[in-house]
Amino acid sequence: MRAFLAMPGNETMAADLAERTSRALIPLETRRFPDGESYVRIVGDVAGLELDIVCTLARPDAQFLSLVFAAAAARELGAARINLVAPYLAYMRQDKRFKPGEAVSSTHFASLLSGLFDELITIDPHLHRRRDLGEIFSIPTRVEHAAALLADWIAAHARAPLVIGPDSESEQWVAAVAKRAGAPHVVLSKTRLGDRRVEVAAPDLSAFAALQPVLIDDIISSGRSMIEAARQIEAQGLSKPYCLAVHALFAEDSYTALQQAMARIVTTDTIAHPSNGISVAELLAAAVRRD
Ligand code: R5P
């Protein structure tokens, strides 16, 4: 028997997955003690179950201990297997020690999750300098990709689109999305100067002046990559771009800033956000069904 359990904020996705896979949803009770510590109670019998804990990991620090307690409690209560369904996987970007003494947090975070769960299911982790999650996780991992969903949204909603990636490292991914959407593509070149500072340079886009620019990226965090890209595109006389992303992190006031820079903003629901317009539920349900 297999069932889902939703960490706080993941109830909608977990209920959707439970319905799509005809599996039970085990209730979880959580609250904060007056001193801020976390209370977690699994309200149901998990003995012998294969349990899929749904927890997207945006802003992980505030929720990580509750997740640890839920997984540990499920294990103590006899769950036969505990998987983590994390539509967004956090802490993937620090994959290298840039300055002496820095924690390579992607490795440490992966090792913590590997100690708690039997398997991880996620969508488009930001691999960057790594080939696959097996380099840092010691448990099996299943990675699903939202590229086709983005492409199909573009084909259905953008008239004469030009698909644009904000940096050259996204070239292959952008090319695949554009090909499926039946659109041309270009990539810009991005230099990161700090957490909230990037410089973006664009090639000559005059051949595409009549097309609707559609910027795509895996993550929007500070929003600076997208905003600088939009600035370069408009400076060349093209229309205000559409902006599509898989993971809607939207740090601080970035969503408001992006709304001014973009004609439309659409994201997948790996992280719940008002910009969500593309559902990944079927991707995740298919991954869960594939035993
Ligand atoms: C970086 O390599 C990623 O693909 C994104 O471009 C980046 O995380 C976006 O960050 P921000 O929104 O802070 O510019």
Side-chain angles (χ1 to χ4, degrees):
M1 279 270 290
R2 200 160 168 172
F4 289 96
L5 184 142
M7 294 307 294
N10 296 268
E11 293 83 358
T12 306
M13 179 62 84
D16 193 344
L17 292 176
E19 196 178 316
R20 283 171 196 264
T21 55
S22 307
R23 289 181 180 152
L25 185 58
I26 306 275
L28 181 78
E29 191 185 322
T30 60
R31 64 182 173 86
R32 293 264 179 214
F33 290 108
D35 56 9
E37 292 182 1
S38 302
Y39 171 90
V40 169
R41 176 179 169 232
I42 298 174
V43 192
D45 185 8
V46 294
L49 284 186
E50 174 160 1
L51 198 61
D52 290 292
I53 299 187
V54 183
C55 186
T56 201
L57 287 166
R59 294 162 186 87
D61 295 15
Q63 51 172 332
F64 190 65
L65 267 182
S66 298
L67 178 63
V68 171
F69 297 151
R75 190 81 70 191
E76 274 172 9
L77 295 168
R81 201 177 151 79
I82 307 170
N83 309 315
L84 174 62
V85 179
Y88 171 68
L89 179 61
Y91 278 117
M92 289 299 291
R93 279 171 290 174
Q94 178 100 36
D95 58 2
K96 185 177 160 182
R97 185 168 292 115
F98 297 95
K99 293 186 192 154
E102 281 180 347
V104 182
S105 47
S106 63
T107 312
H108 305 310
F109 194 61
S111 138
L112 287 168
L113 291 178
S114 297
L116 287 168
F117 295 98
D118 295 304
E119 184 170 357
L120 166 73
I121 296 173
T122 191
I123 294 184
D124 288 324
H126 186 75
L127 285 170
H128 202 34
R129 279 168 280 261
R130 298 193 200 281
R131 230 174 345 97
D132 62 64
L133 289 179
E135 290 181 26
I136 49 174
F137 280 84
S138 57
I139 53 172
T141 56
R142 252 182 240 203
V143 172
E144 300 297 322
H145 300 282
L149 300 178
L150 263 52
D152 293 349
W153 188 95
I154 294 169
H157 296 93
R159 207 170 51 81
L162 167 66
V163 179
I164 305 178
D167 51 45
S168 51
E169 76 190 33
S170 62
E171 163 90 52
Q172 270 192 328
W173 184 69
V174 172
V177 171
K179 187 171 177 214
R180 182 170 168 122
H185 77 277
V186 291
V187 290
L188 313 183
S189 114
K190 177 172 94 179
T191 311
R192 184 162 287 282
L193 307 170
D195 290 346
R196 295 173 188 76
R197 282 184 61 221
V198 297
E199 260 174 21
V200 172
D204 179 8
L205 300 172
S206 52
F208 305 110
L211 304 187
Q212 170 61 53
V214 182
L215 275 162
I216 63 168
D217 208 346
D218 59 345
I219 296 173
I220 300 177
S221 177
S222 74
R224 295 321 305 180
S225 303
M226 286 297 206
I227 289 169
E228 292 309 319
R231 212 193 298 278
Q232 294 302 322
I233 291 164
E234 277 197 273
Q236 294 200 32
L238 278 77
S239 323
K240 227 176 213 203
Y242 290 180
C243 164
L244 257 67
V246 181
H247 304 300
L249 279 175
F250 292 117
E252 300 156 352
D253 62 351
S254 58
Y255 187 51
T256 311
L258 269 167
Q259 282 176 306
Q260 277 148 31
M262 306 294 170
R264 257 183 112 159
I265 305 171
V266 177
T267 59
T268 81
D269 57 357
T270 60
I271 300 168
H273 187 267
S275 62
N276 292 168
I278 300 171
S279 170
V280 295
E282 191 44 43
L283 267 188
L284 291 171
V288 169
R289 276 188 221 108
R290 253 180 274 129
D291 288 326

